[in-house]
Amino acid sequence: MTEERRKFATRSIHAGEAPDRATGARGVPIHQSATFAFDSYDQIRSWEDGHEPHFQYSRESNPTVQTLEAKIADLEGGEATIATNSGMAAISAVLLHFAANGGHIIASSQLFGATGDFLENEISALGGSITRLDLRDLSAVERAIRPETRLIHCESVSNPLLHVADVPALAELAHRHGAALSVDNTFLSPVLYRPIEDGVDLVIHSATKYLSGSGQTVGGVVTGRSELIEPIRKHVFRLGTYMQPFTAWLIIMGCKTVSLRVDRHLENTQRLAELLEDHPAVAQVNYPGLPSNDGHTTLQRMNGGQAGGLLSFRLHDDPDTTRAFIDALELCTVAVSLGEPLTLIWPYRDGLIRLAVGLEDSDDLAHDLTLGLEAAQRVIDSVRSTR
Ligand SMILES: Cc1ncc(COP(=O)(O)O)c(C=O)c1O
């Protein structure tokens, strides 16, 4: 069987890897070295002229990081990947590239906070401009396109409201107007959705999340055609935001189990979303895996409706109910982030609660949420009885 015909789970284990030529070691070595030695003057010139591959310095290239890059490119179905020292380093390198020299970027109004912050506070300083709008309104997106529009940027499923972007339609629209589409696919992971198959130019992940899966490191990846990745790679070199070898090794280890883990995240999250939707203390659940969600049909077209391991919701009569809910939990960890074995929960100041469902037994998670919901319901009942 040729490598191209192997299935995702097989490639997540094998792609990009080979036994170490020097030692035969089958495990991926961590090349924890800042610099790489050359044998001779002629070898340096031959490497510089592109005749002989070699590594020079780990801010620009490293064998362990390159193994991860080859694996991710394979999993995404892209030509090349650049690995960075955080998801934000990946996103900012992409946005920087398209904003340079007066570029205009259309970005979703619903994005991870730090991405929004970068767009609002860095792009104009770089000479670019932005328009932010609800990308679910495709005709508004088309009206916002200008001659200098170079990029449309969105999250396939957004953080934290889980809006679903119609990625195939946005790709068609961007290309019709000579722009590129970049998609932050962190929430879905390449297990559930591979945007390049739907015509996307650049797919970005915070590899901190599902790809690593351990919650023990921070990293990012961008994948696309080589002609786009190579200039973005140059930005990463100049900024000094290339990934560290130990981080790459942790993410390589994570990739090997990503299919199994994401399936479990998905199963657990669907169960908890249904539990929350049915509870009288809950005012609203955002999870496109629920048929009641307005992104459900779009996601069904994109990947059969598999919405990933994160949901958000609101309780009635916040903020006292939210406090009671959070403080009654015994198993969920109150922390940001997602894609970890542990279930993480985070209450925003505006009453939105984000639940990043982990890999625990769903009976235990359902029990823990029920403890919180019962505490919230007691507050709701007492608030209503005094009205
Ligand atoms: C959707 C999304 N994109 C990007 C990021 C940023 O990734 P990192 O924290 O690895 O920089 C996050 C972080 O939570 C995220 O949720």
Side-chain angles (χ1 to χ4, degrees), residues 62-74:
N62 174 282
T64 312
V65 183
Q66 222 174 60
T67 299
L68 174 67
E69 291 175 335
K71 188 183 286 293
I72 299 291
D74 183 288

Side-chain angles (χ1 to χ4, degrees), residues 8-9 11 72-78 156 167 183 185 188-200 203 205 259 302-303 306:
F8 185 95
R11 289 187 284 121
I72 299 291
D74 183 288
L75 294 181
E76 296 284 7
S156 45
V167 172
V183 173
N185 193 42
L188 292 182
S189 86
V191 179
L192 300 183
Y193 188 51
R194 288 170 297 282
I196 288 174
E197 293 171 5
D198 271 340
V200 165
V203 54
H205 286 275
S259 291
M302 282 162 49
N303 76 350
Q306 302 178 98

Side-chain angles (χ1 to χ4, degrees), residues 203-221:
V203 54
I204 307 169
H205 286 275
S206 165
T208 314
K209 320 296 189 205
Y210 296 104
L211 291 173
S212 140
S214 65
Q216 309 265 118
T217 194
V218 174
V221 283

Side-chain angles (χ1 to χ4, degrees), residues 86-89 91 112 115 155 157 159 184 186-187 206-209 218-220 337-338 354:
S86 71
M88 271 318 297
I91 292 165
F112 170 60
T115 306
E155 291 166 5
V157 173
N159 185 356
D184 179 339
T186 300
F187 272 25
S206 165
T208 314
K209 320 296 189 205
V218 174
S337 205
L338 61 135
R354 200 180 74 168

Side-chain angles (χ1 to χ4, degrees), residues 24-357:
R26 182 57 191 92
V28 174
I30 307 172
H31 291 277
Q32 194 66 42
S33 180
T35 197
F36 296 85
F38 287 78
D39 289 335
S40 64
Y41 177 89
D42 285 346
Q43 191 187 26
I44 299 170
R45 298 289 92 89
S46 162
W47 166 70
E48 278 178 345
D49 294 341
H51 301 311
E52 193 183 337
H54 207 286
F55 293 93
Q56 187 194 31
Y57 188 60
S58 282
R59 179 164 44 71
E60 298 197 348
S61 190
N62 174 282
T64 312
V65 183
Q66 222 174 60
T67 299
L68 174 67
E69 291 175 335
K71 188 183 286 293
I72 299 291
D74 183 288
L75 294 181
E76 296 284 7
E79 283 176 9
T81 294
I82 168 81
T84 55
N85 62 14
S86 71
M88 271 318 297
I91 292 165
S92 51
V94 169
L95 297 177
L96 165 66
H97 176 66
F98 286 94
N101 305 315
H104 174 239
I105 296 173
I106 297 177
S108 172
S109 46
Q110 228 295 282
L111 288 171
F112 170 60
T115 306
D117 188 37
F118 186 87
L119 284 162
E120 306 286 347
N121 292 300
E122 302 289 348
I123 295 296
S124 60
L126 297 166
S129 59
I130 58 162
T131 302
R132 295 193 64 185
L133 43 82
D134 187 340
L135 299 190
R136 293 172 302 177
D137 183 347
L138 293 172
S139 50
V141 178
E142 187 147 28
R143 284 196 302 279
I145 292 177
R146 306 179 198 158
E148 68 274 22
T149 303
R150 297 185 62 210
L151 182 74
I152 300 178
H153 177 77
C154 67
E155 291 166 5
S156 45
V157 173
S158 76
N159 185 356
L161 294 176
L162 292 104
H163 290 175
V164 178
D166 189 339
V167 172
L170 286 168
E172 188 281 321
L173 186 61
H175 296 159
R176 189 150 37 83
H177 291 273
L181 177 67
S182 60
V183 173
D184 179 339
N185 193 42
T186 300
F187 272 25
L188 292 182
S189 86
V191 179
L192 300 183
Y193 188 51
R194 288 170 297 282
I196 288 174
E197 293 171 5
D198 271 340
V200 165
D201 301 281
L202 291 166
V203 54
I204 307 169
H205 286 275
S206 165
T208 314
K209 320 296 189 205
Y210 296 104
L211 291 173
S212 140
S214 65
Q216 309 265 118
T217 194
V218 174
V221 283
V222 188
T223 304
R225 295 187 304 284
S226 301
E227 82 205 27
L228 278 176
I229 293 299
E230 290 320 311
I232 293 168
R233 189 184 295 282
K234 292 269 175 5
H235 291 300
V236 169
F237 294 172
R238 292 181 196 122
L239 292 165
T241 52
Y242 194 58
M243 185 178 278
Q244 293 295 304
F246 182 56
T247 295
W249 183 83
L250 285 170
I251 299 169
I252 291 165
M253 294 305 115
C255 286
K256 292 174 192 288
T257 56
V258 70
S259 291
L260 284 171
R261 289 185 285 102
V262 167
D263 283 352
R264 174 67 169 262
H265 283 293
L266 188 64
E267 199 181 297
N268 281 357
T269 312
Q270 186 72 32
R271 175 169 175 192
L272 298 183
E274 288 166 14
L275 182 153
L276 288 164
E277 192 174 47
D278 288 345
H279 199 281
V282 177
Q284 182 199 346
V285 182
N286 303 311
Y287 187 61
L290 294 171
S292 57
N293 185 276
D294 60 9
H296 184 70
T297 319
T298 308
L299 195 64
Q300 264 190 325
R301 263 192 285 115
M302 282 162 49
N303 76 350
Q306 302 178 98
L310 192 134
L311 60 81
S312 60
F313 62 101
R314 289 178 196 279
L315 298 169
H316 287 292
D317 295 326
D318 182 74
D320 290 339
T321 42
T322 304
R323 181 183 302 107
F325 174 85
I326 294 290
D327 292 349
L329 297 173
E330 293 176 357
L331 178 61
C332 298
T333 301
V334 183
V336 294
S337 205
L338 61 135
E340 303 205 357
L342 299 179
T343 294
L344 306 175
I345 195 154
W346 188 252
Y348 292 87
R349 201 172 268 284
D350 70 353
L352 189 75
I353 302 172
R354 200 180 74 168
L355 182 68
V357 180

